[in-house]
Amino acid sequence: MSRVQLAIIGGGLVGASLALALQETARQRGWRIALIEPFAPGSEYQPSYDARSTALSYGSRLIYERLGLWQSIAKRAEPIQQIHVSDRGRFGAARLQAIEEGVPALGYVVENAWIGHCLWQALDADVIEWRCPAEVVGMQRLDEGYRLALNDETCLDCDLAILADGGRSGLREQLGIVVNVKPYGQSALIANVSPLEAHRGQAFERFTDDGPMAMLPLSDNRCALVWTRAAADAERLLRVSEASFLGELQQAFGYRLGALQQVGARHLYPLSLVEAQEQVRAHLVVLGNAAHSLHPIAGQGYNLSLRDTLALAEVLITSDAPLGDFATLQRYQQRQQLDQHMTVGFSDQVTRLFSNAQPLLTAGRNLGLLGLDLLPPAKRWFARQAMGMGTRNL
Ligand SMILES: Cc1cc2nc3c(=O)[nH]c(=O)nc-3n(C[C@H](O)[C@H](O)[C@H](O)COP(=O)(O)OP(=O)(O)OC[C@H]3O[C@@H](n4cnc5c(N)ncnc54)[C@H](O)[C@@H]3O)c2cc1C
């Protein structure tokens, strides 16, 4: 039986970021950290037309700067210079500009595979013990921690277990942690698209009666499309020919980037707002998508999880109490409560307001978008939320 001080279950972007945030302190204090992940990360990064991407907020850039990772991530990060928010077939529109907000970029679009590659390269095997490929299949509460049962029939004891195993966390259920689920009745269709004209760092958030869409600027003049549609319609769009797909997309998006010429592999994600009712117990933290999964249209999910991750690391690093101490973990939750509440609320409200074809609501959002463009304080508030800087001074 082996024992570590900290076991991070799930080596996705959130789990690996927490390992990095704790690495230096772990080295100094002699903590051993196990990072358990079923899928082996490739040691080589392969650029791909079909890769999924994430819009990192400006606040997330500042976090990765603090963790010493931004220089590597920046090599393949496409800056967002302007966000154009519009409503199809209506006159309301708003533009957020990096220059007006006094920042070099409103955010950055990066392929997930590249963020993962940078994280894995930065983790030091002397401190972080990769258990990969391995999966946690059971968790048992001990007096002073948890015993994890792995699928290779070994067990691992830890003082503090971090559940970062994603939105479909089976372990969360096993531990009896109840979740609130609000299905949106929509799916997000994801694909990379090449437009004829240069995107020049513009991101587009476009609201249509069928659901919101985002076109984000990627490297090599590609755009990352997130197109939200009713679940059955998204299924249909997954299957139509490339030419029909591009035709429908062009009609919904318009010609702001000229003709849309090529589309990569299409993927579908059914969407719900999922929130765990408990995020901390003695010796346990639920983190990342396992704690809250948001609608992707406002691009807030990972950015929020990264702020949670940094806050958790700071609380653990500055605490004198033993790892797993309940009061310390509660302090983490209290610190992030407002940020989580505001970000989840912002993302949910924007989604519901802009996914609705009712005349009163559409009139309201026309005024909202116009107001956003005309009223500097409203626009600044929206920009700060979109940049992931809403409730904290990052
Ligand atoms: C279509 C789409 C677009 C998005 N775009 C954005 C965006 O632009 N900006 C943004 O901020 N957010 C975005 N998000 C949200 C973002 O993807 C998530 O917040 C992020 O992926 C959460 O990471 P995670 O590490 O918590 O979970 P995951 O990425 O799901 O990672 C969980 C990890 O745990 C592992 N695992 C699972 N079970 C076990 C087990 N039993 N034992 C060990 N390991 C296990 C898995 O293999 C996986 O590697 C988007 C989400 C979607 C669906």
Side-chain angles (χ1 to χ4, degrees):
M1 176 79 56
S2 52
R3 185 170 188 103
V4 291
Q5 280 64 49
L6 231 124
I8 303 175
I9 303 164
L13 298 184
V14 170
S17 293
L18 179 67
L20 179 66
L22 292 172
Q23 181 160 274
E24 211 34 58
T25 304
R27 197 194 316 279
Q28 288 161 15
R29 298 197 192 162
W31 293 347
R32 285 211 59 74
I33 300 180
L35 187 56
I36 306 149
E37 168 60 43
F39 298 101
S43 54
E44 291 296 314
Y45 163 73
Q46 299 283 351
S48 159
Y49 191 72
D50 297 330
R52 263 190 55 194
S53 335
T54 293
L56 291 180
S57 65
Y58 185 69
S60 291
R61 169 195 165 146
L62 298 182
I63 291 179
Y64 277 128
E65 272 178 7
R66 282 173 67 172
L67 299 181
L69 202 70
W70 180 248
Q71 268 201 324
S72 322
I73 293 179
K75 287 181 191 153
R76 296 192 61 87
E78 189 69 25
I80 301 175
Q81 299 298 350
Q82 183 179 317
I83 303 178
H84 185 276
V85 188
S86 64
D87 209 332
R88 183 179 161 216
R90 296 182 185 86
F91 57 91
R95 280 166 211 82
L96 309 173
Q97 311 242 26
I99 205 157
E100 281 177 14
E101 301 306 320
V103 288
L106 292 165
Y108 300 84
V109 190
V110 196
E111 281 159 311
N112 291 9
W114 179 248
I115 307 175
H117 174 79
C118 296
L119 278 165
W120 294 314
Q121 295 290 314
L123 295 179
D124 180 351
D126 286 344
V127 187
I128 314 289
E129 186 184 319
W130 265 107
R131 294 285 189 106
C132 184
E135 188 178 339
V136 176
V137 291
M139 293 177 72
Q140 183 196 342
R141 178 78 164 86
L142 307 173
D143 283 343
E144 291 304 321
Y146 274 88
R147 173 161 298 161
L148 312 182
L150 274 58
N151 62 342
D152 58 8
E153 310 216 326
T154 61
C155 283
L156 179 68
D157 288 357
C158 61
D159 301 339
L160 175 58
I162 310 288
L163 206 54
D165 59 341
R168 285 190 217 118
S169 171
L171 295 168
R172 192 180 51 193
E173 246 170 68
Q174 221 184 77
L175 291 167
I177 295 174
V178 179
V179 290
N180 299 334
V181 183
K182 278 206 262 176
Y184 286 113
Q186 297 176 329
S187 294
L189 193 148
I190 309 296
N192 290 339
V193 178
S194 299
L196 181 65
E197 290 176 13
H199 58 55
R200 300 192 321 278
Q202 296 177 91
F204 297 89
E205 296 257 356
R206 190 150 168 76
F207 300 103
T208 76
D209 290 346
D210 300 319
M213 66 162 60
M215 277 274 232
L216 308 172
L218 256 183
S219 53
D220 307 321
N221 203 44
R222 295 166 301 158
C223 291
L225 166 73
V226 182
W227 195 2
T228 332
R229 305 280 293 214
D233 202 31
E235 282 280 351
R236 180 187 63 76
L237 282 167
L238 188 70
R239 276 190 276 273
V240 295
S241 69
E242 187 174 321
S244 311
F245 180 82
L246 283 172
E248 284 198 47
L249 179 61
Q250 187 87 65
Q251 207 185 2
F253 179 69
Y255 280 83
R256 287 190 169 82
L257 291 175
L260 302 172
Q261 298 192 300
Q262 195 190 340
V263 57
R266 288 165 257 168
H267 304 279
L268 215 57
Y269 296 85
L271 300 175
S272 309
L273 170 61
V274 183
E275 290 178 280
Q277 283 185 10
E278 283 173 278
Q279 291 184 26
V280 298
R281 286 179 179 177
H283 305 281
L284 180 76
V285 177
V286 185
L287 195 67
N289 263 15
H292 39 65
S293 305
L294 316 187
H295 195 294
I297 200 67
Q300 303 274 321
Y302 182 59
N303 293 301
L304 173 62
S305 292
L306 201 57
R307 296 196 295 278
D308 289 349
T309 299
L310 187 77
L312 175 61
E314 282 177 357
V315 167
L316 294 177
I317 289 168
T318 51
S319 169
D320 295 328
L323 272 176
D325 169 60
F326 188 43
T328 307
L329 302 180
Q330 280 178 313
R331 265 208 313 282
Y332 151 69
Q333 191 172 12
Q334 279 155 10
R335 185 168 148 181
Q336 278 308 97
Q337 210 162 28
L338 179 64
D339 189 6
Q340 291 185 2
H341 181 73
M342 296 281 288
T343 309
V344 170
F346 172 75
S347 180
D348 189 43
Q349 292 308 316
V350 166
T351 303
R352 288 181 194 282
L353 177 64
F354 287 107
S355 298
N356 206 309
Q358 283 176 22
L360 259 177
L361 280 175
T362 50
R365 70 188 188 225
N366 269 337
L367 289 173
L369 285 177
L370 275 178
L372 214 54
D373 216 26
L374 297 175
L375 291 173
K379 192 165 156 179
R380 174 128 309 135
W381 178 84
F382 190 88
R384 286 186 69 79
Q385 292 294 326
M387 287 194 291
M389 299 170 76
T391 57
R392 295 187 58 198
N393 248 347
L394 273 169

